[in-house]
Amino acid sequence: MPSFTVTAAGQKVQLDGTGAAQAQYTVTNTSVDELSGRLLATPQDPAKGEWFTIDGEATREFAPAAAEQVRLQIKVPAGTPPATYSVRLDAVSEVNPDEDFTEGPSVAFDVTLPKPPVPWWKRFWWIFVIAGVVLLAIIGVVVWLLVRGNGNTTTTTNTTTTTNVNVVSQGQTAIKGTWLWDAESGQLTGQGDVWWEQETDVLRQMVPRGTATIANLGVVNFDSVTAQSLAAAPYTSIPIDGNNDGSNQLATGDVFAIHTDAGNYAKVLVTSYGYDLGIQWVTYQLGP
């Protein structure tokens, strides 16, 4: 019976815009003895071995019945043909490698054609909205002056629209480095609204995913940010700078907003900054 068991956190991971992802595994020594085990990233054809690296030492000492978390880094080079690829993590006993080994479950990932860049006018749509509001305000003032100058009196009837606000989710959690986070469920997931991208130890950014957009509100009173003010925020698809240096906009106390892929609105307070970003959030659903 093999001395190790290998389990995966999921059956599939999603590559980011640079072709990188992480697969999480748990390796357990099921024996009553301390064992030296060697971890192997085994690509499934046509994946290439140079795409995969194991964080930390490949050969490790396992205490009896001890489990270790193993992170397998995936980096697919540009120009790789679109397809579904997979890799597994194997554990081999250094004492008896020919007979005492375990093949872990495969984790798949899709390589797709790069998405075309978002047209500039879609990224800066809010400029056109502001320009339209200003133009309407100018027209309104001109009309009012003309009517006033002619000695006419106008009567305006105000119509109030009531908007129902429902809280979809709220709480506190941490967005782990390189993971995607979903504002409706509050969970780390493969199909989230934002991605806490870690390019290097310094270069970091919060990237909207899918049709979601974001807006950085700055250091403001979190409780004073309402669902209505979230709906009026200047959302874009431009990532928020979260670099681990003086340019960081996601410092503790910063508040940013998300217009989610599902059409809801979330306010997010940064409670602690680091590779894992501590947050407090409330997600609202606005309806008639």
Side-chain angles (χ1 to χ4, degrees):
M1 181 175 180
S3 298
F4 295 100
T5 61
V6 181
T7 58
Q11 297 179 340
K12 197 167 189 178
V13 294
Q14 181 176 357
L15 299 179
D16 62 25
T18 67
Q22 294 179 343
Q24 304 286 337
Y25 285 89
T26 301
V27 180
T28 304
N29 176 11
T30 60
S31 72
V32 295
D33 300 317
E34 181 175 347
L35 288 178
S36 178
R38 179 160 40 94
L39 306 175
L40 301 172
T42 305
Q44 308 300 294
D45 190 60
K48 307 298 182 184
E50 58 268 23
W51 298 356
F52 310 101
T53 55
I54 296 172
D55 278 358
E57 297 294 331
T59 301
R60 307 183 184 185
E61 298 299 322
F62 291 82
E68 285 207 22
Q69 302 300 312
V70 179
R71 181 180 297 171
L72 180 62
Q73 299 287 354
I74 303 171
K75 180 65 176 179
V76 179
T80 299
T84 297
Y85 300 85
S86 62
V87 64
R88 72 171 191 259
L89 183 73
D90 297 342
V92 179
S93 170
E94 290 286 68
V95 176
N96 188 9
D98 293 332
E99 297 183 5
D100 192 356
F101 62 89
T102 300
E103 294 183 355
S106 294
V107 173
F109 52 92
D110 293 328
V111 175
T112 59
L113 292 173
K115 293 182 180 180
V118 179
W120 70 270
W121 55 271
K122 284 189 177 181
R123 290 187 282 117
F124 299 101
W125 60 269
W126 51 273
I127 295 178
F128 297 98
V129 174
I130 294 175
V133 171
V134 171
L135 180 61
L136 289 175
I138 294 173
I139 293 174
V141 171
V142 171
V143 171
W144 179 78
L145 290 175
L146 290 174
V147 172
R148 184 171 180 240
N150 291 331
N152 297 328
T153 301
T154 61
T155 301
T156 302
T157 301
N158 294 324
T159 302
T160 302
T161 301
T162 301
T163 300
N164 293 323
V165 178
N166 298 314
V167 174
V168 178
S169 64
Q170 61 182 328
Q172 296 186 8
T173 188
I175 305 178
K176 294 184 178 181
T178 74
W179 284 75
L180 285 82
W181 180 74
D182 179 74
E184 270 80 26
S185 66
Q187 300 294 318
L188 299 173
T189 175
Q191 300 291 333
D193 296 298
V194 291
W195 171 40
W196 184 214
E197 182 182 17
Q198 311 286 308
E199 296 183 23
T200 67
D201 290 340
V202 174
L203 298 179
R204 301 169 177 173
Q205 58 182 355
M206 189 65 68
V207 183
R209 301 288 291 182
T211 60
T213 50
I214 56 179
N216 193 30
L217 307 182
V219 180
V220 298
N221 187 317
F222 180 74
D223 293 332
S224 69
V225 179
T226 64
Q228 288 77 11
S229 64
L230 287 173
Y235 295 96
T236 75
S237 58
I238 300 174
I240 298 174
D241 187 344
N243 292 337
N244 189 16
D245 58 24
S247 67
N248 179 28
Q249 299 181 46
L250 295 174
T252 300
D254 183 79
V255 178
F256 64 94
I258 305 172
H259 188 193
T260 72
D261 197 55
N264 297 317
Y265 296 90
K267 60 179 180 179
V268 183
L269 170 67
V270 178
T271 58
S272 63
Y273 173 84
Y275 182 86
D276 296 338
L277 198 70
I279 63 165
Q280 177 182 349
W281 90 95
V282 182
T283 300
Y284 300 99
Q285 181 185 56
L286 276 66

